[in-house]
Amino acid sequence: MSDRPATPLLDRVSAPADLKGFTDPELTRIASELRAETISAVSVTGGHLGAGLGVVELTVALHAVFDTPRDKLIWDVGHQCYPHKILTGRRERIRTLRAGGGLSGFTKRAESVYDPFGAAHSSTSISAALGFATARDLGGSCEGGLGDAIAVIGDGAISAGMAYEALNNAGHMGRRLIVILNDNEMSIAPPVGAMSAYLSRLYAGAPFQEMKSAAKGLTQLLPFPFQEGARRAKELLKSVTIGGTLFEELGFSYIGPVDGHDMEQLLAVLRTVKARADGPVLIHAITQKGKGYAPAERARDRGHATAKFDVLTGEQKKSPSNAPSFTSVFAKSLVREAEDDGRIVAVTAAMPDGTGLNLFAERFPRRCFDVGIAEQHAVTFAAGMAAGGLKPFCAIYSTFLQRGYDQVVHDVAIQRLPVRFAIDRAGLVGADGPTHAGAFDVAFLANLPGFVVMAAADEAELVHMVATAAALDDRPSAFRFPRGEGSGAEMPERGQPLEIGRGRIVTEGSRVAILSFGARLPECLAAREALVARGISPTIADARFAKPLDRELILRLAREHEALITIEEGAVGGFGSQVAQLLSDEGAFDTGLKFRMMTLPDTFIDQDSPAAMYSVAAMQAPDIEAKVLEVLGVARMGARRGLA
């Protein structure tokens, strides 16, 4: 305990209701202690640090003013919820964040009544809060009761179309609803005259005519580091329409900008809104991501996501890598292809670093596009570029591509446009848990006519799949790869386009064939070694393609073996189901072929290390070995002999 910060006031808070017994200056001190506790906890666990540090004062103020859990506090995305978890009875477990059996890194309904709505993808909070407000007004009931509904949404998350759909609907309905826009990207502008005039217009309308006197210094400049000159004033003024702001045109009363780190100002605004709001209200709070922790403030991403780190220096404790990551291999391969083909462009949705496209952007800044948190737009934007003769690579995590599925179908597949989807985070991803698992993309892409769907067994195969997608110019394609480092495969000098719909035999054997799709191949080979020691020598094949299938290879495996087992890092309905359909159509089961599919189980697997999660999914080498023994009857025979 000696290495933990001293938190005498925070130690007296076991639930949000306890905050109501403190004075306003004491709440400011609690915020300081909460920031220190958050930094200390994340240094042990790793996780999303910067966003939480940016909302410490806001978190304390919201819980001090409102009556959670009756009042529903909904954090958009959930990256910033660690301080909230500390205040809501989970402080003793905060150092289990993102670990197996521990707290989720996001809000989670099953975890606490103070998490009324789970969120790990962005831009859902306003819709959910409006749902709670409607349930309140129509006599609904839920755990904790129903009071005010408060959505906290960031300036990045509000760029998504869904947020504007919700704002439009909320303004139309007119129900009492509170939206807090947590603006941690831009800063207030110095020109006093322009800003004062702007704020005067904002505060002119009912029901907040006296809000200026209720909050401290709202028409004054925010303190350093929010002073960036006329740029912010210009940007703010751009949003002004006749009669008020964009938000007012949508039916909201707009309050702001408010200093999100000034406790006195926050408390005054929130108390006034709680006492007087009679419809939808939007509070615009300016915050600083990484606030109060110098290493995060200095970092380019403001400490967005960190490994475990040293609190004093901020130095992250990352394990040495033994092989390049799949993401970096993809990025470097795409850069090589783009050096020879000026038509190649890249698109991502607010994840340039996560997808590796930051490397592409450094080399080809005019050919790389980050569209923000807008996956639907990203897909159709890429489709438009494909129709215009460019060769777009749309790099989106599997779990986020789900948001653009309608566009994948209508704007890409039906029009047979050659958009290339680079699908990162295939399979189980570890600490981010089930919300970020790439479980469904094979199933939802392989059923689309004309799509080419690939999965890389190792980092060398990924290089070839990038080249394959670049060369494929008459239909849409996708290739998937997991998070983390590769297996240490020998890397090719340059990717070579693969023959479409052709897999490969990795090792020849007999009796049973294991057909792998994706990065479980090393586990299949490890299982084979154990089986060889038992006198069983399976054939191991790498499918490479889920669509089109290698009919010749699959039918040969079925013809020459007693049993065929498929394995994939995806849900039921994907690669194995495509193989089963082919075998059924060709009558392969009529001759007695034993067939098994190894897929992710029909459940959402909670966060843990990837290895532990794959053990839960029964997809590690011992599980593959056991499946082979089971399908050949060896395990049952051994069990009978044991009974005898």
Side-chain angles (χ1 to χ4, degrees):
M1 292 291 292
S2 60
D3 60 337
R4 297 189 182 181
T7 55
L9 292 182
L10 184 62
D11 293 344
R12 292 162 51 190
V13 179
S14 59
D18 297 332
L19 293 171
K20 298 186 186 303
F22 292 95
T23 66
D24 290 2
E26 285 175 329
L27 291 175
T28 300
R29 287 172 53 196
I30 287 174
S32 178
E33 293 178 9
L34 180 59
R35 177 171 281 108
E37 177 72 355
T38 301
I39 294 167
S40 173
V42 180
S43 75
V44 174
T45 66
H48 295 98
L49 178 64
L53 297 183
V55 296
V56 166
E57 287 82 8
L58 182 59
T59 303
V60 172
L62 283 167
H63 280 299
V65 171
F66 290 94
D67 301 312
T68 57
R70 182 175 181 272
D71 292 333
K72 304 305 181 187
L73 178 55
I74 302 171
W75 298 95
D76 209 285
V77 185
H79 289 154
Q80 70 276 55
C81 72
Y82 301 174
H84 160 80
K85 292 197 176 198
I86 292 170
L87 291 180
T88 53
R90 287 168 278 182
R91 185 180 181 187
E92 291 304 312
R93 299 184 64 210
I94 199 64
R95 286 165 176 79
T96 69
L97 268 171
R98 295 159 51 87
L103 295 178
S104 169
F106 305 98
T107 53
K108 187 175 183 180
R109 278 173 55 83
E111 191 176 285
S112 172
V113 68
Y114 291 98
D115 292 358
F117 201 81
H121 285 192
S122 78
S123 316
T124 60
S125 62
I126 304 173
S127 298
L130 181 59
F132 275 113
T134 302
R136 172 199 66 210
D137 294 348
L138 297 183
S141 63
C142 65
E143 186 179 10
L146 284 168
D148 274 320
I150 307 111
V152 183
I153 185 168
D155 55 291
I158 208 167
S159 70
M162 183 177 178
Y164 286 95
E165 293 173 16
L167 287 168
N168 183 59
N169 189 216
H172 171 73
M173 293 176 71
R175 300 186 188 280
R176 175 175 162 120
L177 171 73
I178 300 163
V179 175
I180 299 175
L181 172 56
N182 173 34
D183 185 348
N184 61 24
E185 186 64 28
M186 303 174 185
S187 301
I188 202 74
V192 177
M195 186 54 59
S196 295
Y198 175 64
L199 292 175
S200 295
R201 292 181 64 187
L202 292 179
Y203 294 108
F208 295 102
Q209 299 93 330
E210 290 84 35
M211 183 63 71
K212 285 186 289 185
S213 61
K216 171 198 168 196
L218 287 183
T219 59
Q220 298 175 4
L221 297 178
L222 295 180
F224 185 85
F226 302 126
Q227 299 176 7
E228 285 190 15
R231 178 182 65 85
R232 180 57 172 164
K234 182 178 178 182
E235 286 167 350
L236 284 170
L237 289 167
K238 279 182 184 177
S239 70
V240 178
T241 61
I242 296 172
T245 67
L246 168 65
F247 302 111
E248 289 178 334
E249 291 300 300
L250 290 171
F252 278 73
S253 294
Y254 174 99
I255 304 166
V258 177
D259 183 351
H261 298 300
D262 184 327
M263 184 66 75
E264 186 178 352
Q265 188 176 127
L266 283 173
L267 291 170
V269 170
L270 293 175
R271 286 167 179 159
T272 304
V273 168
K274 182 181 180 183
R276 300 180 54 193
D278 59 3
V281 179
L282 186 136
I283 302 170
H284 183 177
I286 306 295
T287 64
Q288 181 185 2
K289 196 172 182 179
K291 171 73 173 178
Y293 184 53
E297 292 180 1
R298 290 193 300 264
R300 186 170 61 86
D301 66 352
R302 301 296 187 267
H304 171 69
T306 72
K308 300 175 184 180
F309 61 90
D310 182 279
V311 172
L312 293 178
T313 65
E315 182 179 356
Q316 297 186 39
K317 304 169 184 176
K318 294 186 176 180
S319 302
S321 59
N322 301 309
S325 71
F326 278 93
T327 301
S328 67
V329 169
F330 156 66
K332 292 173 183 177
S333 299
L334 185 60
V335 167
R336 283 197 295 270
E337 296 295 332
E339 286 172 343
D340 292 343
D341 190 340
R343 293 186 299 151
I344 290 178
V345 294
V347 180
T348 187
M351 297 299 293
D353 290 4
T355 59
L357 288 191
N358 56 319
L359 300 178
F360 189 94
E362 290 172 5
R363 181 71 177 81
F364 304 106
R366 293 185 66 248
R367 292 157 61 186
C368 190
F369 307 95
D370 180 0
V371 302
I373 301 176
E375 291 83 4
Q376 294 170 296
H377 164 60
V379 172
T380 304
F381 173 50
M385 287 193 290
L390 296 178
K391 300 175 78 169
F393 279 74
C394 195
I396 301 178
Y397 291 3
S398 171
T399 181
F400 298 147
L401 184 59
Q402 293 161 189
R403 295 188 141 196
Y405 186 56
D406 182 70
Q407 287 69 31
V408 171
V409 175
H410 283 267
D411 300 335
V412 176
I414 289 176
Q415 301 190 97
R416 203 176 170 87
L417 288 169
V419 176
R420 299 134 181 100
F421 293 95
I423 304 176
D424 203 334
R425 271 51 170 188
L428 302 175
V429 296
D432 281 335
T435 59
H436 283 58
F440 310 111
D441 57 274
V442 178
F444 71 59
L445 292 177
N447 64 4
L448 297 177
F451 237 93
V452 173
V453 182
M454 301 173 273
D458 56 41
E459 60 270 40
E461 283 289 294
L462 178 56
V463 175
H464 297 311
M465 288 181 181
V466 174
T468 305
L472 193 62
D473 215 18
D474 64 346
R475 68 195 109 160
S477 60
F479 52 94
R480 74 192 312 252
F481 49 95
R483 183 181 189 181
E485 64 184 41
S487 60
E490 184 177 350
M491 297 296 286
E493 280 278 324
R494 182 70 184 267
Q496 299 298 321
L498 303 171
E499 184 180 353
I500 301 301
R502 282 288 176 263
R504 57 177 177 143
I505 298 290
V506 180
T507 59
E508 291 277 10
S510 61
R511 295 195 67 192
V512 62
I514 302 174
L515 180 58
S516 175
F517 180 66
R520 287 291 94 190
L521 182 62
E523 295 296 318
C524 295
L525 293 171
R528 186 181 192 276
E529 287 186 19
L531 288 164
V532 167
R534 290 175 172 263
I536 301 170
S537 181
T539 294
I540 307 293
D542 173 19
R544 282 178 166 160
F545 294 85
K547 190 162 193 177
L549 291 171
D550 188 337
R551 297 172 56 90
E552 182 180 331
L553 172 64
I554 293 168
L555 294 175
R556 176 197 152 193
L557 294 175
R559 188 169 57 248
E560 296 179 359
H561 297 81
E562 296 174 38
L564 173 59
I565 299 170
T566 63
I567 183 166
E568 62 191 293
E569 297 170 317
V572 173
F575 170 69
S577 296
Q578 295 282 333
V579 173
Q581 184 71 45
L582 170 63
L583 294 173
S584 175
D585 291 346
E586 296 296 326
F589 297 125
D590 301 349
T591 57
L593 174 70
K594 298 174 182 177
F595 179 70
R596 301 289 187 274
M597 289 182 278
M598 297 184 73
T599 66
L600 295 178
D602 189 27
T603 186
F604 292 106
I605 300 175
D606 283 336
Q607 76 275 359
D608 208 326
S609 69
M613 294 175 79
Y614 277 113
S615 291
V616 171
M619 295 183 72
Q620 297 284 64
D623 305 302
I624 300 168
E625 179 189 357
K627 183 67 71 174
V628 170
L629 296 175
E630 179 266 322
V631 75
L632 293 178
V634 175
R636 288 194 298 274
M637 288 168 52
R640 283 199 295 271
R641 278 197 292 269
L643 289 171

